[in-house]
Each structure stands twice: as structure tokens, then as C-alpha cells.
């Protein structure tokens, strides 16, 4: 048991273990974009009349906004981070957040197009 702790200590000292500030920005962007995807999916289902009584318009707008915010945060992280994918700075997570943000925007747009306008 002590040998395992002795082997893990140099890795922890190098900053390999744990979430650093580089990954935190990508994680925040991914979480915001993922919430946009979830809200967009629910709004799309609501606009199709599968769940709930509303038309899904409010959820579609929220999904659009969250998707765009997630994409902006991920783009900012990609522009300011150094190194490549796999170096622990969160570039891979930011790329995933960009894709999730785009999916959230598309789902929100589809739900907005399918929901009837209310005056």
C-alpha cells in the first residue's frame, strides 16, 4: 500500500491528477451547452405535443441562448489555451462543448420553428 502512495505522489506533484483551471473553463462551457441540449430536446418534444401542455417556445429560446453561450465560452477557451489536445488544458473538452452548443442551437431552432406563435 505504501508503494502505491509513493508512485502516485510524483504524478500529483506534476499536476497530472485533478482538475486544473484549464479544464474548469471547458467544463463550464460543456455544462452550459449540455443544459442547452437538454432544454432543447424537451422543448422539441413539447412543441410536437408529446409532453406537457405548453408549446415549447420558451424552452426553445432558452436552448438557443444556452447553446450560443456554451459555444462562446468554448471558443474563448480554445482561443486562450495553450498546448494541444491531451495536455490537460481542456482543449478536448472545449471542442466537445462546441459540438454540444451547436446541437443545443439546432434543437432550439427546430423547436422554435415547430411551435405555434402565441400573441
Amino acid at each position: 500500500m505504501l508503494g502505491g502512495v509513493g508512485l502516485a505522489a510524483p504524478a500529483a506533484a506534476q499536476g497530472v491528477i485533478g482538475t486544473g483551471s484549464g479544464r474548469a473553463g471547458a467544463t463550464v462551457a460543456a455544462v452550459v451547452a449540455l443544459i442547452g441540449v437538454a432544454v432543447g430536446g424537451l422543448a422539441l418534444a413539447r412543441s410536437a405535443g408529446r409532453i406537457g401542455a405548453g408549446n415549447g417556445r420558451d424552452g426553445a429560446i432558452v436552448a438557443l441562448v444556452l447553446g450560443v453561450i456554451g459555444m462562446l465560452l468554448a471558443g474563448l477557451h480554445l482561443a486562450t489555451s495553450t498546448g494541444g489536445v491531451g495536455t490537460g488544458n481542456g482543449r478536448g473538452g472545449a471542442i466537445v462543448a462546441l459540438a454540444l452548443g451547436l446541437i443545443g442551437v439546432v434543437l432550439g431552432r427546430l423547436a422554435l420553428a415547430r411551435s405555434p406563435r402565441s400573441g
Side-chain angles (χ1 to χ4, degrees):
M1 183 167 154
L2 290 177
V5 172
L7 291 175
Q14 294 173 359
V16 175
I17 299 175
T19 302
S21 62
R23 292 182 189 153
T27 302
V28 169
V31 167
V32 169
L34 187 61
I35 293 171
V37 169
V39 171
L42 288 172
L44 188 61
R46 182 165 288 176
S47 69
R50 292 188 194 121
I51 60 170
N55 61 7
R57 198 160 175 81
D58 292 337
I61 293 170
V62 169
L64 279 169
V65 170
L66 287 177
V68 169
I69 290 173
M71 288 174 61
L72 287 175
L73 289 174
L76 178 67
H77 184 75
L78 281 173
T80 58
S81 65
T82 59
V85 176
T87 59
N89 60 4
R91 285 182 75 88
I95 293 169
V96 170
L98 273 174
L100 286 173
L102 182 63
I103 293 169
V105 167
V106 168
L107 286 175
R109 180 64 184 117
L110 281 172
L112 198 59
R114 292 183 182 180
S115 65
R117 291 184 187 247
S118 59

